[in-house]
Amino acid sequence: MPDVVQPFALTRPAHVRAAHLIVSDLTVVSDFYRKIIGLQVIEKTPSGEVLGVGGQPLLTLTTGTSVSRAPRNAAGLFHTAFLVPDRQELAHWLAHAAHNNVQLDGASDHLVSEAIYLSDPEGNGIEVYRDRKPEEWTYHPDGTVAMATERLNLQELYNGAPKQSWDGMADGTAIGHIHLQVGDIPEADAFYRDVLGLKIMARYPGASFFATGDYHHHIAANIWNSRGAKAREGNMTGLSDYTVRFNDKAALESALAALDAQEIATTKTAEGFSLRDPWGIGLTLAA
């Protein structure tokens, strides 16, 4: 991506690179991510599609003959969060959504970011957001970051949208974070903090927010719908797996050593090291 500035989230020791959803109706869901979210088809396979921005793969959609709809309280995806380059791009996307009568699930000012929430046609959560500059964030003495859920003035944001027509997500758009539904927060802390080496940057009742390099969160986990959830079944719709890319090879080696010490199986693949979290959500650690 020449001349595209990498967002702070992606310059940290590790970050989320891509997600993979299993869907029932590939055509309908793909249309939504292309026409409403603004991704482009990068690759088509017999069972699915790879979508992204500026040639960068962000989201893989696949389907199959035995796919079953995941219940709302299953472990898996809470939302995939698409990080746009700046506030103007967020406003431009909001205007596009408004002009296409897209139903929003909510909108919040989180102090570190401004976020708009919606769902795809199969109920997979989506966040479209922009970050404030890290120097505008407030860090507590213990290194955690101040986050809140305050009302976002959508009218004021909409009023700042460029007047020209919107033609998809801008180059530099990335998956800034992924938010998971899990069965137990202490177990999530034990896996994402103690094994993978991410730091807890914030806590909400029933949720932990994990990151590397002082980002507000690369991965979040909550039990708001899914308290006590067991491991996912392989043919469920929703989040099959996602990829964490390590910019810092030492951090990857440390995570692999911790996985080995905990006797958590990993498989070497062309993309990296694949494994499953305690709820059966697939995870690839890549360098």
Side-chain angles (χ1 to χ4, degrees), residues 17-29:
R17 183 170 68 185
H20 170 202
L21 302 181
I22 295 174
V23 300
S24 298
D25 192 323
L26 180 64
T27 302
V28 167
V29 178

Side-chain angles (χ1 to χ4, degrees), residues 157-177:
L157 181 63
Y158 175 90
N159 291 345
K163 298 305 174 223
Q164 69 264 35
S165 64
W166 182 85
D167 59 359
M169 284 291 190
D171 283 2
T173 298
I175 293 183
H177 65 268

